Amino acid sequence: MSIAKYKRILITGGAGFVGSNLAMRLREDLPKAEIVCLDNLKRRGSELAVRRLTNAGVQFIHGDIRSREDLVMPRIDLLIECAAEPSVMAGIESSPDYLINTNLVGTLNCLELARKDDADVVFLSTSRVYPMQHINNLKFKETDTRFELVELQETSGASKHGIAEHFPLDKPRSLYGATKLISEIMIGEYTDTFHLRAIVNRCGVITGPWQMGKVDQGVVVLWVARHYFKKPLSYIGYGGTGKQVRDFIHIHDLYRAVKHQLDNFNDYSGEVYNVGGGLENSVSLQELTRLCEEVTGNKIDIASVIDERQADLISFVTDSRKFKQKSKLKWEKGPKETVQDIYKWIKENEDDLRPILG
């Protein structure tokens, strides 16, 4: 089986960071395929993606997965479901209606489309399905620059490599994480009941050029942009020293992972995979600051806020060994190269990005 078998591909959330980048790369690898991106353009900066997509020959539809009518279209044979309200803070200080209707009802609408068309599905889920309490109660040691997981943990699915797929799911995880986990469960039911062929990828921080980073989503781009435009930042929570840790995967490597799955769909269908940067691609905010200073040549003011934000985590590192051992893939973009790619992109598009990231 090869990715070349797909003739008409729909990417929901197609003007978002992940969706648009996957579309652009698929356009290069499948010049004869019809690639369609659907997006409601709610996210600021998504209009810039539309220009890139149309210039590359990708069809764009201004629509919303919350509306089944917007999903009425010629038959597709592959659905890549990237549409989401991606902020873990969504629905906490305001109505959760948009979050639930997009991330849950919207996914159900997409599954109905895939069932009707007998299309393969790749679903972009999140590491936020893992419960906050369990993660924050793990054993950490504090080093000069980060909080680090120790090797021996009492909780199944946790180790110095991070959080694996069999980590317990029996505690709250945020409204955002709940919508994605329920969507995963429904995909499993559609797989069993209707023999839908689907792959679920739980991703942590995904980053790279063309991400419109902000405080609650897209932290790596936010950090580089604030250094580039010389704007202040804050270390928030856990002592206010910037030692909390996240791993990240460059969009280039995420595409390589998805393409590999599409080339070998039968081998991956029906399974859930952590697809993240892992320990080697993890940084604390303090370490990320040093990288940004090195790459941009700028040093900015960073305030210290002691109190944690609701739904925050002391550390999250993705244990992607299940996927990496099966695929034999190694990530090509490390932390410094990722920061350099983002810096170069901002510099080359400064006028367009200043109103959004500046």
Side-chain angles (χ1 to χ4, degrees):
M1 187 182 298
S2 165
I3 192 174
K5 78 166 194 167
Y6 297 112
K7 306 303 179 186
R8 193 164 196 272
I9 301 169
L10 172 65
I11 302 176
T12 56
F17 165 60
V18 174
S20 62
N21 276 280
L22 295 183
M24 296 291 286
R25 292 292 297 272
L26 285 168
R27 175 78 290 154
E28 295 174 8
D29 289 340
L30 296 173
K32 295 183 179 179
E34 187 176 357
I35 300 172
V36 181
C37 284
L38 182 142
D39 199 288
N40 66 6
L41 300 181
K42 181 176 184 288
R43 180 74 176 248
R44 190 179 183 193
S46 56
E47 67 278 1
L48 301 180
V50 175
R51 186 172 64 198
R52 293 174 64 226
L53 292 168
T54 54
N55 287 343
V58 175
Q59 181 184 348
F60 176 74
I61 297 175
H62 188 189
D64 198 311
I65 62 170
R66 294 176 296 171
S67 170
R68 284 198 179 184
E69 289 76 14
D70 288 354
L71 293 171
V72 175
M73 60 183 67
R75 183 183 179 277
I76 61 171
D77 50 17
L78 173 64
L79 168 65
I80 302 179
E81 224 285 68
C82 302
E85 166 49 68
S87 171
V88 73
M89 299 301 294
I92 291 178
E93 296 179 349
S94 60
S95 169
D97 284 354
Y98 179 78
L99 169 73
I100 293 170
N101 287 329
T102 299
N103 292 11
L104 182 52
V105 177
T107 296
L108 292 174
N109 290 338
C110 289
L111 288 175
E112 272 298 288
L113 173 65
R115 180 190 66 81
K116 177 177 65 70
D117 288 356
D118 193 26
D120 290 347
V121 176
V122 175
F123 180 70
L124 273 295
S125 189
T126 175
S127 60
R128 279 291 184 165
V129 301
Y130 300 114
M132 297 177 288
Q133 181 179 333
H134 284 324
I135 294 170
N136 283 332
N137 285 342
L138 294 174
K139 295 179 180 178
F140 295 92
K141 64 179 179 181
E142 185 175 356
T143 72
D144 289 342
T145 62
R146 64 163 58 195
F147 297 111
E148 193 171 277
L149 280 165
V150 302
E151 173 58 37
L152 296 178
Q153 300 285 341
E154 296 175 358
T155 304
S156 174
S159 71
K160 69 176 183 180
H161 300 284
I163 308 301
E165 291 87 349
H166 57 287
F167 194 78
L169 298 174
D170 60 334
K171 295 288 184 180
R173 60 200 36 82
S174 77
L175 291 167
Y176 163 66
T179 61
K180 301 298 275 188
L181 181 59
I182 297 167
S183 293
E184 287 187 18
I185 292 170
M186 291 307 299
I187 289 170
E189 296 299 328
Y190 267 69
T191 297
D192 182 69
T193 304
F194 304 116
H195 308 293
L196 185 77
R197 288 159 36 94
I199 299 168
V200 173
N201 291 322
R202 290 175 179 165
C203 302
V205 176
I206 310 167
T207 195
W210 296 103
Q211 185 177 40
M212 304 304 163
K214 54 182 184 175
V215 171
D216 57 346
Q217 201 269 330
V219 64
V220 180
V221 169
L222 172 71
W223 230 253
V224 180
R226 291 290 175 89
H227 279 81
Y228 183 90
F229 291 111
K230 300 179 182 179
K231 301 290 186 179
L233 282 166
S234 297
Y235 293 142
I236 301 176
Y238 304 104
T241 59
K243 291 187 178 182
Q244 56 264 59
V245 172
R246 298 292 185 272
D247 69 320
F248 60 83
I249 185 171
H250 194 294
I251 188 65
H252 165 80
D253 285 317
L254 178 64
Y255 175 74
R256 292 173 59 237
V258 171
K259 182 179 183 297
H260 173 81
Q261 291 174 331
L262 295 176
D263 278 330
N264 303 276
F265 206 97
N266 289 339
D267 294 336
Y268 289 89
S269 181
E271 290 285 337
V272 175
Y273 297 93
N274 281 352
V275 180
L279 190 59
E280 67 272 23
N281 273 18
S282 68
V283 292
S284 69
L285 290 178
Q286 191 179 129
E287 292 162 355
L288 181 58
T289 297
R290 300 290 89 79
L291 274 176
C292 291
E293 289 175 348
E294 180 182 346
V295 171
T296 67
N298 297 332
K299 190 169 184 175
I300 62 173
D301 292 330
I302 301 183
S304 178
V305 179
I306 303 299
D307 296 333
E308 286 87 50
R309 293 177 300 177
Q310 188 173 351
D312 203 0
L313 298 173
I314 188 171
S315 171
F316 187 90
V317 175
T318 310
D319 185 347
S320 299
R321 288 179 296 170
K322 174 184 173 181
F323 173 75
K324 294 183 81 172
Q325 289 169 3
K326 185 170 184 173
S327 67
K328 304 297 190 290
L329 287 179
K330 294 183 179 180
W331 305 143
E332 294 178 347
K333 301 277 190 175
K336 184 172 182 179
E337 189 171 9
T338 299
V339 170
Q340 289 172 329
D341 284 353
I342 295 168
Y343 170 76
K344 181 181 177 183
W345 162 67
I346 295 174
K347 187 174 182 179
E348 291 175 349
N349 298 273
E350 181 176 340
D351 290 342
D352 285 338
L353 296 175
R354 184 181 294 276
I356 301 167
L357 298 176

